[in-house]
Amino acid sequence: MSLKKWLAFGSGVGIQIAGPKGTESLLISAARVRPTRAQALGEGKFVIPDFAHRPASEWGAEYAAFTKKFGLRGTPAAVLLPRHDVIVRVLPLPGVSDKDLQSAVRFQLDGLHPYNEDDVYFSWSRVGRTGVLVAVARREPVDRYAALFAEAGVKVAAFTCSAAAIHSALRLWGEAPASEVLAWEDSPGGIEIYGESAAKPVFSANFDGEPDKAASLAKAEMRVDPALEAKPLAELLNAASPLPFAAALLSACPRLSLPLNVLPEDRRQSSPALRWAVPAALGVLVLLLAVAFVLLPSWNRRRYLEELDSQIAQVNPQAARSNQLDKQIDAIRRRTQFLDDFRRQSKSDIDLLAELTKVLPPPTWLNLTEISPRQVLIGGETDQAEPLLKVLNGSALLEASEFQGPPGRTATGWVFRIRANRKDARP
């Protein structure tokens, strides 16, 4: 029996924001977690309809009355954001170490959503051996929901997504589910599908239509056996209201769940019980270790050496791949550096073109512009060629300009060709 199972202890409140956009309701569930089972309290779900258009004090009082019945008043809740307000993606990042993981996620973040970087909150967590689950939410709805809950007096520990809550609920006692999981829930926004497979460590999507059709589309995306049975999510989690129940489990045992939380840290509430939970857990761990050292007999040396040889044989293939993985990581880093340098150089070149347009007096026009990291070569026609060197040398971006041959006289003006050094040139 794993130690994690004995740490599954607590009570919490889960809130799901669900319904059509603009008229969302709160689906609320309370749960009690023990090392052997989790139990939904009361009837399993309490509903506050259209909460955004009601006085916060009114529905806040209803929420307080519901939580008070189970001794959970003031317990920070875990909130599931609506599907239309959060984007959930799984990034495959094989071979990336923990210390480089945050940089790798940030590098790909812009490709996961259509918003400006400053307009979103995001959070990520490892899933499986090579996957990273990323949640991205716009700041406006997150700030709006946070303000509504604060006005109603509802303490919130986390804003997360259904995929993270379900994934955590299935592993709350330390035992991973079957290698392939497929479940569905009939929600106001359509058929919500959750799945796990070798190709998709986490799959979460909404579909229109019937559950059977949605499950068929999900199986194709997950690349699993078409005969795999899609179970109702309520049956998989053993709860009448599975999504708010999964959020309640996350609220009850936050340290045993995925740390996927898009709520800013300065707005998160924590339970006072957590202040002593970690010291108590460490105390229990120390006690168990002491008992183990006293009661366990000494190991036989021969069996110990056999076990050691077996583990060395298991590690050898990984050691053989280490050089290859290092080369792949170095190549990715070089490509990243190249893209960063290219982006900076492109902006510098655009600024230089804008500067040329600004300083060259009309009716000067160009029919040749060659820009390199160190120099720029321009050619064209003007009514007066002689002042051009002074104009270019007076620019904030150019210096040491000189004619590449004497200007030529034409019927309409002077033809010139000038080379100048860039002041922002980089090696």
Side-chain angles (χ1 to χ4, degrees):
M1 188 177 296
S2 67
L3 177 62
K4 184 177 180 181
K5 182 172 184 177
W6 293 105
L7 296 178
F9 195 95
S11 299
V13 181
I15 302 175
Q16 179 191 5
I17 305 176
K21 191 172 184 179
T23 59
E24 295 92 344
S25 300
L26 300 181
L27 312 183
I28 306 168
S29 180
R32 180 181 294 114
V33 179
R34 296 295 181 264
T36 56
R37 64 189 292 259
Q39 176 186 6
L41 303 179
E43 298 179 358
K45 181 176 69 173
F46 176 67
V47 180
I48 300 178
D50 197 16
F51 74 104
H53 296 100
R54 296 177 56 191
S57 59
E58 178 181 309
W59 62 265
E62 297 176 8
Y63 173 88
F66 171 79
T67 55
K68 184 179 180 180
K69 289 190 302 183
F70 311 111
L72 296 176
R73 186 167 184 176
T75 299
V79 179
L80 302 185
L81 292 173
R83 295 288 308 190
H84 53 258
D85 285 329
V86 62
I87 298 173
V88 181
R89 295 289 185 270
V90 177
L91 295 179
L93 295 175
V96 180
S97 63
D98 289 341
K99 67 177 183 178
D100 296 327
L101 195 58
Q102 183 172 358
S103 299
V105 172
R106 285 185 174 275
F107 179 71
Q108 301 192 42
L109 185 64
D110 289 341
L112 302 182
H113 63 86
Y115 313 116
N116 292 328
E117 182 179 354
D118 295 333
D119 293 336
V120 298
Y121 294 121
F122 75 97
S123 182
W124 56 271
S125 178
R126 275 194 185 273
V127 288
R129 296 183 178 179
T130 62
V132 175
L133 183 64
V134 182
V136 182
R138 289 190 302 115
R139 287 177 178 262
E140 186 276 328
V142 170
D143 291 341
R144 174 164 47 86
Y145 290 137
L148 286 172
F149 283 117
E151 185 179 356
V154 177
K155 294 182 178 181
V156 177
F159 277 176
T160 186
C161 60
S162 58
I166 298 171
H167 186 276
S168 300
L170 293 177
R171 293 162 174 80
L172 190 60
W173 292 278
E175 299 176 359
S179 58
E180 293 182 347
V181 175
L182 185 61
W184 60 272
E185 171 71 1
D186 191 359
S187 63
I191 303 299
E192 181 164 353
I193 296 289
Y194 174 86
E196 297 179 16
S197 67
K200 297 283 185 180
V202 174
F203 177 82
S204 177
N206 256 29
F207 297 90
D208 294 327
E210 298 297 323
D212 291 341
K213 181 180 179 182
S216 298
L217 295 173
K219 291 175 187 178
E221 181 71 19
M222 294 168 59
R223 298 196 290 275
V224 298
D225 186 353
L228 177 65
E229 179 184 4
K231 298 181 179 180
L233 189 58
E235 178 181 338
L236 185 66
L237 297 183
N238 193 26
S241 302
L243 291 178
F245 178 73
L249 299 184
L250 191 152
S251 170
C253 303
R255 298 184 182 277
L256 304 182
S257 306
L258 291 180
L260 203 71
N261 189 353
V262 297
L263 184 66
E265 290 188 5
D266 57 346
R267 298 184 182 180
R268 301 175 188 176
Q269 303 283 339
S270 60
S271 173
L274 292 179
R275 299 176 183 174
W276 54 264
V278 173
L282 292 176
V284 171
L285 179 60
V286 170
L287 180 61
L288 291 176
L289 289 175
V291 172
F293 278 117
V294 171
L295 298 181
L296 288 179
S298 60
W299 288 0
N300 183 279
R301 182 175 179 80
R302 186 182 65 181
R303 293 187 59 189
Y304 171 79
L305 292 176
E306 291 176 354
E307 179 68 20
L308 186 61
D309 290 338
S310 175
Q311 293 192 13
I312 291 174
Q314 294 177 6
V315 172
N316 278 336
Q318 299 177 5
R321 293 181 52 207
S322 62
N323 290 335
Q324 180 182 359
L325 292 175
D326 288 340
K327 292 179 180 179
Q328 293 176 356
I329 292 173
D330 288 339
I332 292 174
R333 287 174 176 168
R334 288 195 297 270
R335 288 197 293 268
T336 302
Q337 184 64 41
F338 173 78
L339 292 174
D340 289 342
D341 292 341
F342 180 78
R343 181 180 61 185
R344 288 193 294 268
Q345 186 62 43
S346 298
K347 182 180 184 303
S348 177
D349 293 346
I350 292 173
D351 292 341
L352 179 57
L353 288 174
E355 180 72 6
L356 289 173
T357 304
K358 176 181 176 182
V359 302
L360 291 177
T364 302
W365 57 273
L366 302 179
N367 57 18
L368 169 66
T369 305
E370 294 183 2
I371 298 176
S372 69
R374 295 178 176 274
Q375 293 181 327
V376 60
L377 176 64
I378 60 174
E381 187 173 333
T382 184
D383 58 343
Q384 294 292 332
E386 183 178 353
L388 293 180
L389 296 182
K390 182 178 181 181
V391 170
L392 293 175
N393 288 335
S395 166
L397 301 180
L398 297 172
E399 62 182 1
S401 58
E402 59 182 5
F403 286 111
Q404 298 295 106
R409 181 68 177 177
T410 66
T412 57
W414 293 86
V415 176
F416 65 90
R417 189 183 181 96
I418 298 175
R419 183 180 301 278
N421 294 335
R422 298 177 62 171
K423 291 182 179 180
D424 63 345
R426 291 185 296 274

